[in-house]
Amino acid sequence: MKIVVCVKHVAVLGDEIRFTTDERDVDEDYYDRTLNEWDACAAEEALRIRERLGGEGEVLVVTVGGPSADVALQRCLAMGADRAVRISFDQTVHDPIAIGHALSEAIVPEQPDLVLVGVQSSDSVQGSTGTALAQFLDLPRVAVVKKVEYDHATRRATCHRELEGGLVDVVEVDTPAVLAIQTGINEPRYPTFRAIKDAERKEISLVSAAGGAVSGYHVRRMFVPPKPEGAEMLDGGPADVARRIAEIVKERLA
Amino acid sequence: MNGTLVVAEHLRGELRDVTFELVAAAAEIGGPVSVAVIARDPSLFTDALSVEGVDEIVTVQAEAEEFENDVYQQVIEALIEDRGPGFVLLGFTVNGMGYGPAVAAKLGLGFASDVFRLSREEDGLLARRAFYGAKVHAEVDFPGKERVLLMLRPGAWAPAEGRGDPTITDLSVQVTAPRARHLKLVDPPAGDVDITAADFLLSIGRGIGTREEIPRFEALAGKMGATLSVSRPLVDAGWMTNARQVGQSGKTVRPKVYLALGISGAVQHLAGIKGDGTIIAVNTDPEAAIFGVARYGAVVDLFEVAEALAELFA
Ligand SMILES: Cc1cc2nc3c(=O)[nH]c(=O)nc-3n(C[C@H](O)[C@H](O)[C@H](O)COP(=O)(O)OP(=O)(O)OC[C@H]3O[C@@H](n4cnc5c(N)ncnc54)[C@H](O)[C@@H]3O)c2cc1C
């Protein structure tokens, strides 16, 4: 049993936003990074699927990113993944088609039984990488999965796909398949301090790729959107703000 | 370039609103508009789809009653081959996510998702989408792409309405056996509360930090005469039931007042707030996306405001 999990080290912007000189992206010096929430759930689910099968097999984590993305991989290694691969692009790329393609090249030789990804990354919200990846791998896929029951004997998985309004579509999928995991499926484990320290010493394999090999879009420019017209910021301390809120509520409900 | 192909979305025999929003966006792009409807009995939908702006409805019969991503992918690929549309429009929905990016990847189309605005430039189409927790917007284009597939944000276009008189074409497409098969739909459990009926929602998000804080907001909602609602992370964590969740995968609400404490304003959360009520947002991050939709905003600590409100409504 081999499960590949694709993860992203997402950007978390603070309250100061600066753009690169070509204005086509945010300057990396102005944000922090963390393991994408959806991907933490995907990694956890991979570990649980393996545990349910008696603990046999391998969990491999893959990311596309610069050296700092090793932190996201190490987090997954500390959670219990066995091996990590980082695909390094020659440029920053957000395009899910490009990312899906690069991931597929690293995953093909692995011949996994399952590939788990997060539904989306919190910083780009494209909901597309997993489905693009499935196409490049020529595998079936299920997007927005809140429950997985994998049957290794029949090589099938029953998935609960969460639709709008919380409605569940129960889907049976042939595997190998790509499953895009939704939050709430599990609560990702917190690795111990010891496991984190051990993970830092594990080797991460590096693959280089050309960022623009295939693509869906090209970013022309990024900017901070103007605040909507008529919006009003309430000044003062908490007591002043509370008083104004009370007034507004009274007025609107009258 | 030969017009725009819109893919209709339906569930349990009803067309979803986003379908008509896609038609409106297609009309904005210009050129002939074809709407594809894939169903066991597509004729059930042709009348409702005959709205202004639709030139042609293409009906394609499928075996399963509900959506299956392999079927949609193969049919849309066949249609693209057959019609050669310049643009293909899908909703940025859970179904759309299951096949849109695969079609684009397979055919090498221009592609972008969660697009909420389009504009035409001399050298092609510009699409707008958000990045970085919706704090930043981007304009993206598709140089060198003959065809572009876009997944549009539900709610971003006003739905097309008014009667139209499209031609109806029946197309038969041979598809291979789906590798992911629809089995059944299961409704979410009925809740103990109906937040959709409330005029005043006090809505709390991940900013409250821990489960232990919830009782104080329940008490505050009681004092203020509000109904308590939440963002998804509080439901994911098991602190609250799905019945109280506002958003795409929760409830759609139309309150007169929506007081959001510690909610960042993610697109899927905002998708659940409709109507013209007043949104008041309290968030310590001045760049939080929620301030982009709020009528009133305050950059202060939510606990301090909550305490002051509790005193006012004592
Ligand atoms: C398919 C799909 C469907 C989804 N459906 C839904 C849905 O129905 N509903 C939903 O809500 N989400 C939904 N989501 C999740 C959504 O993308 C976001 O992850 C979620 O809305 C974030 O919730 P939040 O704003 O509470 O948390 P966060 O984004 O973490 O925001 C917390 C906010 O609290 C602020 N804050 C922190 N401390 C304080 C303080 N002391 N005082 C004031 N402010 C503070 C922070 O600045 C931050 O802005 C869905 C996602 C997907 C992929």
Side-chain angles (χ1 to χ4, degrees):
Chain A
M1 180 73 191
K2 188 192 276 188
I3 309 177
V4 170
V5 185
C6 304
V7 304
K8 180 177 178 188
H9 203 211
V10 291
V12 183
L13 263 56
D15 52 20
E16 197 183 356
I17 300 172
R18 290 284 169 82
F19 293 93
T20 53
T21 44
D22 64 4
E23 292 183 18
R24 291 184 52 229
D25 211 335
V26 173
D27 186 335
E28 289 192 353
D29 291 341
Y30 287 84
Y31 53 75
D32 292 329
R33 286 177 182 274
T34 183
L35 173 61
N36 183 38
E37 199 184 333
W38 281 266
D39 303 343
C41 292
E44 176 66 36
E45 199 58 27
L47 296 170
R48 289 191 190 186
I49 291 170
R50 177 171 65 175
E51 282 158 16
R52 288 198 288 267
L53 290 173
E56 294 289 321
E58 189 181 31
V59 174
L60 166 67
V61 277
V62 185
T63 194
V64 176
S68 73
D70 283 349
V71 176
L73 295 174
Q74 280 159 354
R75 176 88 192 182
C76 298
L77 291 169
M79 286 171 73
D82 305 290
R83 202 152 57 84
V85 175
R86 177 164 63 81
I87 303 161
S88 162
F89 270 0
D90 51 8
Q91 51 187 301
T92 306
V93 174
H94 302 288
D95 190 327
I97 305 279
I99 306 277
H101 185 258
L103 288 169
S104 74
E105 299 212 313
I107 294 170
V108 166
E110 299 290 343
Q111 302 206 308
D113 297 287
L114 278 178
V115 179
L116 304 191
V117 302
V119 168
Q120 65 177 23
S121 58
S122 57
D123 54 352
S124 299
V125 184
Q126 303 184 100
S128 299
T129 306
T131 299
L133 167 65
Q135 179 58 46
F136 290 121
L137 295 172
D138 198 14
L139 290 183
R141 70 277 166 177
V142 184
V144 192
V145 173
K146 260 203 77 177
K147 186 177 174 189
V148 185
E149 277 163 23
Y150 173 68
D151 182 359
H152 200 53
T154 61
R155 306 282 159 145
R156 284 181 179 166
T158 306
C159 300
H160 285 198
R161 213 165 62 92
E162 192 189 30
L163 305 183
E164 285 74 12
L167 182 67
V168 166
D169 181 21
V170 184
V171 170
E172 178 191 64
V173 62
D174 301 333
T175 68
V178 178
L179 310 181
I181 301 295
Q182 173 64 312
T183 57
I185 191 172
N186 57 43
E187 201 176 319
R189 66 195 70 184
Y190 278 102
T192 61
F193 183 71
R194 171 81 188 275
I196 293 171
K197 285 287 142 207
D198 287 349
E200 280 169 11
R201 283 194 298 271
K202 282 197 190 166
E203 199 188 329
I204 291 173
S205 329
L206 198 63
V207 179
S208 301
V214 292
S215 73
Y217 61 77
H218 159 265
V219 176
R220 266 215 198 168
R221 66 177 186 117
M222 287 197 190
F223 54 97
V224 174
K227 291 279 177 291
E229 252 173 72
E232 184 185 330
M233 293 310 273
L234 307 176
D235 300 325
D240 305 303
V241 168
R243 223 173 296 116
R244 281 288 284 132
I245 291 176
E247 280 169 22
I248 296 161
V249 168
K250 211 167 278 169
E251 183 194 307
R252 298 292 148 131
L253 295 181
Chain B
M1 298 268 210
N2 191 1
T4 300
L5 176 69
V6 165
V7 187
E9 194 165 318
H10 58 86
L11 179 74
R12 290 178 158 162
E14 292 215 29
L15 287 165
R16 313 197 66 180
D17 294 347
V18 69
T19 307
F20 300 98
E21 299 164 15
L22 298 173
V23 170
E28 206 178 289
I29 291 174
V33 177
S34 297
V35 178
V37 57
I38 304 163
R40 185 181 277 172
D41 182 2
S43 71
L44 293 176
F45 301 104
T46 48
D47 185 54
L49 282 173
S50 299
V51 292
E52 211 175 308
V54 178
D55 298 290
E56 182 196 25
I57 300 172
V58 186
T59 56
V60 184
Q61 217 229 325
E63 237 169 76
E65 196 151 358
E66 298 292 350
F67 174 83
E68 288 183 326
N69 60 35
D70 283 329
V71 174
Y72 270 62
Q73 176 173 0
Q74 291 179 58
V75 170
I76 297 311
E77 283 170 2
L79 271 167
I80 292 172
E81 183 127 320
D82 190 61
R83 307 284 151 126
F87 299 97
V88 182
L89 303 183
L90 270 55
F92 185 54
T93 59
V94 173
N95 285 358
M97 285 180 197
Y99 73 102
V103 173
K106 182 159 180 194
L107 303 183
L109 310 181
F111 173 80
S113 64
D114 194 27
V115 170
F116 55 83
R117 194 180 299 174
L118 296 171
S119 51
R120 273 215 102 122
E121 300 276 299
E122 271 164 40
D123 49 345
L125 194 79
L126 268 190
R128 193 176 291 191
R129 72 179 318 286
F131 281 98
Y132 298 106
K135 291 180 173 184
V136 168
H137 285 183
E139 279 171 351
V140 304
D141 57 9
F142 313 93
K145 297 286 188 183
E146 199 187 335
R147 302 182 209 300
V148 178
L149 187 149
L150 299 171
M151 299 179 66
L152 305 187
R153 177 184 292 182
W157 275 265
E161 41 189 17
R163 290 298 294 176
D165 187 22
T167 57
I168 296 173
T169 319
D170 195 36
L171 195 82
S172 122
V173 180
Q174 284 299 319
V175 298
T176 56
R179 302 165 297 177
R181 297 166 290 275
H182 161 76
L183 298 181
K184 61 177 177 186
L185 294 172
V186 182
D187 286 292
D192 47 341
V193 54
D194 182 11
I195 62 169
T196 66
D199 273 343
F200 179 18
L201 287 173
L202 171 64
S203 207
I204 52 175
R206 183 147 48 193
I208 68 156
T210 61
R211 180 178 210 152
E212 285 64 46
E213 302 292 346
I214 286 184
R216 81 152 87 191
F217 294 99
E218 285 172 334
L220 180 61
K223 282 184 184 175
M224 295 182 79
T227 302
L228 191 68
S229 60
V230 301
S231 67
R232 180 173 176 117
L234 280 65
V235 178
D236 281 343
W239 303 348
M240 283 289 187
T241 65
N242 176 273
R244 288 194 193 265
Q245 180 184 317
V246 173
Q248 183 192 303
S249 53
K251 303 282 184 241
T252 299
V253 298
R254 289 182 172 74
K256 288 184 182 154
V257 178
Y258 190 81
L259 173 55
L261 306 181
I263 293 178
S264 62
V267 53
Q268 291 105 352
H269 184 77
L270 302 180
I273 312 172
K274 295 276 193 255
D276 54 3
T278 303
I279 300 177
I280 311 170
V282 175
N283 197 307
T284 40
D285 177 358
E287 295 299 331
I290 189 100
F291 292 129
V293 297
R295 172 73 179 79
Y296 299 98
V299 182
V300 281
D301 183 89
L302 71 90
F303 294 103
E304 292 180 18
V305 171
E307 210 165 297
L309 280 170
E311 277 171 32
L312 283 176
F313 286 87

